[in-house]
Amino acid sequence: DAGVTQSPTHLIKTRGQQVTLRCSPKSGHDTVSWYQQALGQGPQFIFQYYEEEERQRGNFPDRFSGHQFPNYSSELNVNALLLGDSALYLCASRRSQGARGEAFFGQGTRLTVV
Amino acid sequence: AQSVTQLDSQVPVFEEAPVELRCNYSSSVSVYLFWYVQYPNQGLQLLLKYLSGSTLVKGINGFEAEFNKSQTSFHLRKPSVHISDTAEYFCAVSSSNAGNMLTFGGGTRLMVKP
């Protein structure tokens, strides 16, 4: 079992550009969430996808958008990048049934905006 | 709304000494509680979880935590730490009412000294 896999592991972008991060959930998991972890802080919930729809959203602007594919994998898109978007982006997956919040995390994508 | 407060940002301790990392939460509904560990440049690994039942939960690597509903706390303990326990520890809360999204505390850096 490969667990939750994210790509790429590191990324450097320029202000104003757009970025796409990718996540493959753990086998058997159908729900994917994205979190942003700024340096020295705890992760903050961005949004959650289930059945290819955004089900919940945290306090993030519309520049942050996502997608879930039929195979449950997911993408996080960020438009018009700001310096403050520099962070570790974590993907988490879980089973929708009986999981009671228990999520498994990937290794993250380190995004640096310059 | 739910929130988590980790009372100590850093906890220095000598190897083989006991340690307690403190976590308090706030929520108006029944909660699920988690402790995650994060090693440098890595994602989050689940240490232990409280979903229901016994208030004392045991996790991996010799860690345990006790759920105290009256004090809204979920402190993490280990009777004897190792150098390899040096890492960032995050307490998190979720609930079915919140769509099982995780709300994290700010983290506690455990520094084990030889």
Side-chain angles (χ1 to χ4, degrees), chain A residues 10 33 35 37 40-45 48 56-58 88 90 92 94 96 98-108 110, chain B residues 6 32 34 36 38 41-46 49-52 88 90 94-95 97-107 109:
Chain A
H10 295 84
S33 300
Y35 291 80
Q37 185 180 17
Q41 297 183 24
Q44 286 196 294
F45 175 76
Q48 180 180 97
Q56 258 193 303
R57 190 178 184 91
L88 180 68
L90 295 164
R94 65 178 181 87
S96 57
R100 290 192 283 181
E102 179 178 355
F104 291 79
F105 284 81
Q107 297 298 296
R110 173 74 62 187
Chain B
Q6 292 184 242
Y32 312 128
F34 307 85
Y36 284 88
Q38 186 176 39
N41 300 313
Q42 293 192 27
L44 301 175
Q45 180 183 8
L46 181 66
K49 62 191 177 191
Y50 170 79
L51 303 179
S52 65
E88 191 85 20
F90 292 96
S94 76
S95 68
N97 290 40
N100 290 319
M101 74 172 225
L102 289 164
T103 299
F104 287 87
R109 179 170 299 278

Side-chain angles (χ1 to χ4, degrees), chain A residues 11 13-21 36 46-47 57 60-67 75-86 89 111 113:
Chain A
L11 203 52
K13 290 286 189 179
T14 304
R15 276 179 300 174
Q17 285 189 314
Q18 179 264 345
V19 69
T20 297
L21 311 181
Q36 180 195 67
I46 303 175
F47 42 53
R57 190 178 184 91
F60 279 80
D62 292 345
R63 298 187 297 109
F64 289 77
S65 63
H67 191 77
E75 288 182 348
L76 164 65
N77 302 293
V78 187
N79 294 323
L81 284 167
L82 305 173
L83 295 179
D85 295 331
S86 295
Y89 288 85
L111 172 65
V113 182

Side-chain angles (χ1 to χ4, degrees), chain B residues 44-93:
Chain B
L44 301 175
Q45 180 183 8
L46 181 66
L47 274 179
L48 49 77
K49 62 191 177 191
Y50 170 79
L51 303 179
S52 65
S54 173
T55 58
L56 182 64
V57 292
K58 294 188 183 297
I60 62 171
N61 301 341
F63 284 94
E64 64 180 33
E66 185 157 18
F67 169 57
N68 188 319
K69 187 174 182 179
S70 63
Q71 297 189 6
T72 60
S73 68
F74 190 56
H75 300 333
L76 180 71
R77 302 185 184 99
K78 185 169 183 177
S80 175
V81 295
H82 302 289
I83 295 287
S84 60
D85 292 324
T86 295
E88 191 85 20
Y89 291 78
F90 292 96
C91 181
V93 63

